[in-house]
Amino acid sequence: MAEALNQLSHKISQIKKVRRYGKVSDVAGLMIYCIGLEKTAIGSRCEIEDIGGDSHAAEVVGFKEGKTLVMPFGNIDGIGPGCRVYIEHIKPIFMVGDCFVGRVINALGDPIDGKGGVALGTEEKSLKSKPPAPGKRRAVGGKLDVGVRSINTFLPICEGQRMGIFSGSGVGKSVLMSMIARFSSADINIIALVGERGREVKEFIEEQLGEEGLKRSVVVVATGDEPALMRRQAAYLAMTLAEYFRDQGKKVLLFMDSVTRFAMAQREVGLSAGEPPTTKGYTPSVFSELPRLLERAGPGESEGSITAIFTVLVEGSDMDEPVADAVRGIIDGHIVLERSLAERGHFPAIDILKSVSRMLPDCHTGHENRVMNEARQSIATYANMEELIRLGAYKEGSDPAVDTSIRLHDALEDFLIQKPSESSPVDQGFNDLAGIMGQHIAAAEPAVEE
């Protein structure tokens, strides 16, 4: 009861006694030009009252020739010259709280899961806060068990690390993401589905994430048909929620699918505001917003941390396209999903040789590093000779290392394949891998004569 009264009191205190407003002068495309707005800045939140009296949430995205450029979060039907524009907040803020756990919300914080309303959050936080100061930030913590063998052994993720999943469409990144969300040892998951297909949202939540996964998750959704501001806002809201739980001392696992669609949304906003297109049509603000967003993840100043996994769509498997190249330079490692592996039923379709975790080798023990490196070398040796082996051009006995890689190939392939419903803890993964490599060593050693 006391909490409800406090929330009501806070809501009443936010009601303004005097509301100053400007007016819409022009509408061009998705951009609304306003006059008469005072004390406003880029990012200010406003409310547009259309001809029928309905309200439209919007954001200030620029200024031009004495006019304020405003872009709505929804459609612009009913908005025309003379409509009133009210400034609600000079800076974008959101009321965060534990009430969002287990819920699916849109980019504005409204529930979309049919489970009723969400109570007002208890703490006000900026949607565009700054990352923790570099000198005060704690170091990256120990290994985070994500339940996926190939990642736990070859590409370990540590508490506070930022990892990228790079792939084309339809290669299995959503399934891999759901596996990590269900099996990881994190306290809470924050999942941002930015620009996702509407049909796949329910499938992801019900079939892949599941009821158990949702119980300790907050899912923020902005589908591909929603305006650019909503898609961009979903990423900011998810990061803000992750910061709230991190500041409580919790181990937060943040998923953002995908950063590419966030960049596309920022490009739409920038182009509408008059920014010049640069690399592949992306505006300069895209490459300034990416580090501002991604750097907010990581260890905090206290005990909490945000371990972040960002998916990146690579066009035509081009790992050097602008967004992929920019993100790779910011984060602490990348997992590459290969379409050729997915086409032959190898899931998760992780290309071990193209992927890297920048936490290696320090996060593994000496024994774990020896087992991992030996297995990795065997995989690399087989990949180099694969064509000759398949064609029958390689003669057994020509190279002992190649002979070894051929003997180990099937066992290592089976090790790297994992069902979506199967969980594999860190210790079990290393024991299985050591068993494969140990069996090879025992088979290669000459028999002892009695």
Side-chain angles (χ1 to χ4, degrees):
M1 185 67 178
E3 184 180 350
L5 288 173
N6 288 336
Q7 291 180 355
L8 180 60
S9 175
H10 176 82
K11 201 164 186 178
I12 292 173
S13 68
Q14 297 298 308
I15 298 175
K16 297 179 180 179
K17 297 178 182 179
V18 178
R19 297 185 78 191
R20 294 184 173 85
Y21 63 86
K23 289 187 177 182
V24 175
S25 62
D26 303 281
V27 179
L30 298 177
M31 193 62 64
I32 298 170
Y33 295 78
C34 304
I35 56 174
L37 290 178
E38 299 178 356
K39 294 183 179 179
T40 185
I42 298 291
S44 294
R45 292 300 163 85
C46 52
E47 184 181 293
I48 304 173
E49 189 177 277
D50 69 15
I51 295 174
D54 294 327
S55 295
H56 300 256
E59 180 177 312
V60 174
V61 297
F63 302 92
K64 186 176 182 180
E65 298 176 356
K67 295 181 180 180
T68 304
L69 277 59
V70 174
M71 184 174 281
F73 284 96
N75 62 62
I76 60 174
D77 295 344
I79 299 175
C83 289
R84 292 186 177 186
V85 183
Y86 300 92
I87 295 295
E88 296 296 316
H89 300 284
I90 298 299
K91 294 182 179 180
I93 59 171
F94 188 79
M95 297 300 297
V96 295
D98 295 344
C99 54
F100 294 101
V101 179
R103 302 301 301 270
V104 182
I105 58 177
N106 67 11
L108 298 177
D110 301 321
I112 56 174
D113 52 10
K115 297 180 180 178
V118 176
L120 186 68
T122 56
E123 184 177 332
E124 183 179 285
K125 288 187 75 71
S126 170
L127 285 167
K128 297 184 180 180
S129 61
K130 294 182 179 179
K136 296 181 180 179
R137 223 172 192 173
R138 293 183 303 106
V140 172
K143 277 187 290 191
L144 185 72
D145 188 350
V146 298
V148 181
R149 279 192 298 268
S150 51
I151 296 177
N152 281 341
T153 52
F154 290 95
L155 307 163
I157 299 175
C158 296
E159 292 179 22
Q161 183 179 354
R162 295 163 301 186
M163 182 72 89
I165 298 178
F166 292 70
S167 79
S169 58
V171 187
K173 61 183 180 302
S174 295
V175 176
L176 177 59
M177 193 171 71
S178 68
M179 289 173 67
I180 297 172
R182 278 183 287 133
F183 303 145
S184 79
S185 57
D187 297 323
I188 188 165
N189 303 313
I190 307 296
I191 303 172
L193 302 179
V194 181
E196 189 58 87
R197 302 173 187 87
R199 175 187 60 81
E200 294 183 350
V201 171
K202 189 173 183 179
E203 291 178 7
F204 172 82
I205 294 169
E206 293 183 355
E207 299 176 13
Q208 297 174 14
L209 183 61
E211 186 177 345
E212 288 301 314
L214 183 59
K215 283 181 180 178
R216 60 187 183 106
S217 303
V218 183
V219 183
V220 184
V221 177
T223 54
D225 61 305
E226 295 188 62
L229 271 190
M230 286 290 277
R231 285 177 272 137
R232 190 183 72 167
Q233 170 86 353
Y236 289 134
L237 177 55
M239 187 66 76
T240 302
L241 288 167
E243 289 171 332
Y244 166 74
F245 290 107
R246 178 193 64 192
D247 294 343
Q248 291 184 342
K250 294 183 178 180
K251 293 190 295 184
V252 181
L253 188 54
L254 169 67
F255 298 90
M256 194 171 292
D257 183 19
S258 71
V259 172
T260 306
R261 295 190 181 115
F262 166 80
M264 290 177 175
Q266 178 61 40
R267 175 174 63 183
E268 287 183 44
V269 174
L271 290 172
S272 297
E275 279 192 81
T278 53
T279 311
K280 283 200 173 181
Y282 287 102
T283 57
S285 64
V286 171
F287 301 102
S288 62
E289 283 298 317
L290 280 173
R292 287 177 190 166
L293 176 67
L294 305 188
E295 281 289 341
R296 290 167 64 182
E301 297 180 10
S302 58
E303 292 302 313
S305 64
I306 301 175
T307 306
I309 297 178
F310 304 105
T311 69
V312 181
L313 284 167
V314 289
E315 299 176 4
S317 300
D318 181 11
M319 287 289 291
D320 296 321
E321 63 96 18
V323 174
D325 195 44
V327 172
R328 195 167 56 247
I330 300 168
I331 57 179
D332 309 312
H334 53 273
I335 297 170
V336 178
L337 301 187
E338 189 63 52
R339 190 174 299 279
S340 61
L341 292 175
E343 287 171 348
R344 65 173 192 251
H346 184 295
F347 292 103
I350 299 174
D351 190 323
I352 297 296
L353 300 179
K354 292 181 181 178
S355 306
V356 66
S357 171
R358 293 181 182 171
M359 298 299 104
L360 287 173
D362 296 337
C363 67
H364 279 344
T365 64
H367 172 69
E368 289 171 343
N369 276 320
R370 284 193 297 274
V371 172
M372 179 203 67
N373 287 331
E374 186 178 349
R376 194 180 186 101
Q377 287 169 8
S378 180
I379 294 170
T381 300
Y382 187 90
N384 289 336
M385 299 293 292
E386 186 170 12
E387 287 299 320
L388 292 178
I389 295 169
R390 291 186 185 281
L391 292 171
Y394 174 75
K395 183 179 179 181
E396 186 177 356
S398 301
D399 187 330
V402 177
D403 292 341
T404 299
S405 71
I406 294 172
R407 286 197 295 270
L408 288 175
H409 176 69
D410 289 344
L412 288 173
E413 281 276 296
D414 291 340
F415 174 82
L416 295 174
I417 294 173
Q418 186 173 337
K419 294 179 181 178
S421 58
E422 177 188 357
S423 175
S424 177
V426 172
D427 292 341
Q428 179 186 331
F430 269 107
N431 287 337
D432 292 346
L433 187 60
I436 293 170
M437 305 313 296
Q439 290 167 13
H440 144 63
I441 293 169
E445 289 174 348
V448 178
E449 295 182 1
E450 296 184 357

